[in-house]
Amino acid sequence: MGLLTALEGGHGDAADALRIDGRPLSWEQLLGAATAVADRVAGAPALAVLAGPTAETVVATVGGLLAGVPVVPLPPDSGPKERAHILRDSGATLLALPVGASAPDGIEPLPVELTARSSSTYAEPGVEGTAFVLYTSGTTGAPKGAVIRRGAVAADLDALAAAWQWTAEDTLVHGLPLFHVHGLVLGVLGALRTGSRLVHTGRPTPGAYAKAGGSLYFGVPTVWSRIAADEPSARALATARLLVSGSAPLPTPVFDRIAALTGQAPIERYGMTESLITVSTRADGERRPGSVGLPLDGVRTRLVAEDGGPVPPDGETVGELQVAGPTLFSGYLNRPDADAESWTADGWFRTGDVATIGPDGFHRIVGRASVDLIKSGGYRIGAGEVEAALRDHPAVADAAVIGAPDQDLGQAVVAFVIADGAVTGDQLSAFVAERLSVHKRPRRVVLVDELPRNAMGKVLKKQLLELS
């Protein structure tokens, strides 16, 4: 069985099996156009794809996979320096893009013709072959290319299909960027493996989600927050089977409002570029606010303390989350130094995230160890716990918590808060102290109009550190 089983037949061939920003494609049309791309890229060391929310992105990606050429998604809004680094580091010699778009100097453009057709056939590459080189956000330096095996993609999508009861009877709807794991690997290849219909809305607006008529929806917290604020659009999703949130923690007030308006609680999942999705709530399991559920089939997780010892699964003690299993990447391209830092001696991947695991196995992600594990006055404080407490205040729309350098405490808990009304920072600090341990209260609260975020809705906390 190949990676893209829907293209092998047996799932029907509706004229709009895929609809990408209003452009319909049948499986047959996708296969014909993608095979034409494969004919042009076969043998190339790598294929860069200008990964906008377009049908051309999907066709080019599938074409590279058919030919067994590693696909390198290029964010359409990347700056010249980032773009040049990705193209140079990946070794891509071709850049797939829409007809009429221009390529930067130094790389050959490959215009993608949606009407092109080819009847060539390609042998299915082995599971150890590279499917993608996905570049990380580069928050600690130049982006690193994570090498993702075809077998890792297949294992992850099959495990998610089992966890979410995802079948060819579903219609998947999302409007997420197509240069990340969430939007491209899950949101496109997931449909091409399960055979479900796919509707990509172009932009993830509440109105577009409401009109799509899906049974399965993907979104990030920013998307779900906007839907929760648009009652008619939210109520239109009441006929959906599953609402999935990921890429960042879903605030409990948004979780509760979505549940109230749609009649079902959303599910959350956890993953990284390097690991794909490893932990998720099940479709038929408990949907607990603030929890990402249980490891997927075949995935193992553990928490490790700073001294390397184990962390008890008591739901309270935080530790670094490490994972092992078939969904993990092969390593960083051209970065043996980063590989050495990322893997333990016994073969576990260090995620760099801190989490708790309860006695029932449910995982709660606290945040990044580098910015979300705050060491204040001898205490270890998870920023995510304080953020969740702040969001419980009726005047708070959102919050981000960091540990700012402090001569007395080592780090002081500082909260950046978007709030309505006349609430003060002192009131919010007292609100947290009433719900959590007093030492976890923010020592300073900064009221802001917005929080800096990346394309997937994650707060850029290093920018907040600079403001503190």
Side-chain angles (χ1 to χ4, degrees):
M1 182 174 69
L3 177 59
L4 309 177
T5 52
L7 300 184
E8 297 173 6
H11 292 289
D13 195 28
D16 61 347
L18 301 93
R19 183 174 290 273
I20 313 296
D21 196 18
R23 174 69 188 243
L25 287 173
S26 67
W27 299 128
E28 182 182 10
Q29 290 171 327
L30 171 60
L31 180 60
T35 304
V37 170
D39 290 345
R40 299 160 66 189
V41 305
L47 171 65
V49 176
L50 186 64
T54 65
E56 286 87 351
T57 295
V58 175
V59 167
T61 298
V62 173
L65 294 174
L66 290 174
V69 173
V71 175
V72 184
L74 187 67
D77 61 349
S78 58
K81 184 176 180 180
E82 179 184 1
R83 184 186 310 124
H85 167 74
I86 292 174
L87 294 176
R88 179 179 62 254
D89 187 66
S90 68
T93 56
L94 299 166
L95 175 61
L97 35 68
V99 174
S102 58
D105 293 339
I107 190 165
E108 182 182 346
L110 191 153
V112 178
E113 298 271 4
L114 297 180
T115 57
R117 296 291 180 268
S118 171
S119 58
S120 300
T121 58
Y122 290 85
E124 177 69 19
V127 295
E128 294 303 318
T130 299
F132 294 99
V133 180
L134 299 173
Y135 279 80
T136 63
S137 57
T139 55
T140 57
K144 300 189 293 289
V147 179
I148 311 295
R149 297 178 303 110
R150 298 175 72 94
V153 174
D156 199 54
L157 295 178
D158 289 346
L160 287 172
W164 297 345
Q165 300 174 1
W166 185 1
T167 73
E169 301 302 313
D170 280 305
T171 293
L172 169 63
V173 177
H174 73 91
L176 301 174
L178 297 185
F179 50 88
H180 282 292
V181 166
H182 197 172
L184 183 60
V185 179
L186 273 64
V188 174
L189 299 196
L192 297 182
R193 188 162 179 83
T194 63
S196 67
R197 183 169 174 262
L198 169 63
V199 177
H200 190 285
T201 60
R203 296 180 61 246
T205 64
Y209 272 42
K211 293 177 183 177
S215 61
L216 174 60
Y217 284 81
F218 290 170
V220 297
T222 301
V223 172
W224 293 120
S225 178
R226 291 171 181 170
I227 290 173
D230 186 334
E231 183 171 337
S233 294
R235 292 196 182 278
L237 303 189
T239 58
R241 184 181 64 78
L242 207 62
L243 310 176
V244 181
S245 182
S247 297
L250 184 66
T252 298
V254 177
F255 180 103
D256 291 340
R257 183 159 175 80
I258 290 292
L261 293 175
T262 66
Q264 66 163 303
I267 72 170
E268 295 190 67
R269 90 298 181 280
Y270 165 79
M272 299 178 64
T273 299
E274 293 89 341
S275 68
L276 305 182
I277 307 306
T278 51
V279 184
S280 180
T281 305
R282 291 343 192 229
D284 58 358
E286 181 185 355
R287 305 179 188 186
R288 188 181 302 172
S291 171
V292 293
L294 303 165
L296 296 178
D297 292 345
V299 174
R300 294 173 291 149
T301 63
R302 69 184 184 188
L303 295 182
V304 178
E306 285 183 296
D307 62 3
V311 171
D314 56 13
E316 296 292 335
T317 309
V318 298
E320 183 198 26
L321 180 64
Q322 298 181 355
V323 299
T327 70
L328 291 177
F329 74 136
S330 302
Y332 294 110
L333 188 67
N334 307 322
R335 291 293 304 273
D337 57 327
D339 286 341
E341 294 174 358
S342 299
W343 297 88
T344 66
D346 56 348
W348 291 68
F349 174 63
R350 298 184 173 104
T351 67
D353 286 324
V354 287
T356 66
I357 300 177
D360 56 3
F362 269 62
H363 290 52
R364 180 171 61 86
I365 306 301
V366 174
R368 296 296 291 170
S370 57
V371 293
D372 290 313
L373 182 59
I374 301 169
K375 301 173 185 177
S376 181
Y379 294 102
R380 289 158 56 88
I381 302 167
E385 185 179 22
V386 183
E387 291 164 354
L390 285 165
R391 293 184 188 117
D392 283 342
H393 193 287
V396 172
D398 205 354
V401 170
I402 62 170
D406 185 271
Q407 287 188 343
D408 180 41
L409 298 170
Q411 288 182 304
V413 178
V414 177
F416 291 79
V417 179
I418 302 173
D420 299 325
V423 67
T424 66
D426 287 344
Q427 290 171 331
L428 291 174
S429 183
F431 182 82
V432 172
E434 292 170 358
R435 283 153 180 78
L436 305 176
S437 301
V438 172
H439 68 264
K440 296 179 180 179
R441 74 191 187 282
R443 302 292 178 136
R444 184 159 59 93
V445 175
V446 182
L447 299 176
V448 296
D449 294 327
E450 61 181 2
L451 298 170
R453 297 180 184 274
N454 66 12
M456 294 303 289
K458 293 182 180 179
V459 175
L460 301 173
K461 291 197 172 182
K462 293 201 173 181
Q463 290 189 17
L464 295 180
L465 274 171
E466 294 171 0
L467 297 175
S468 66

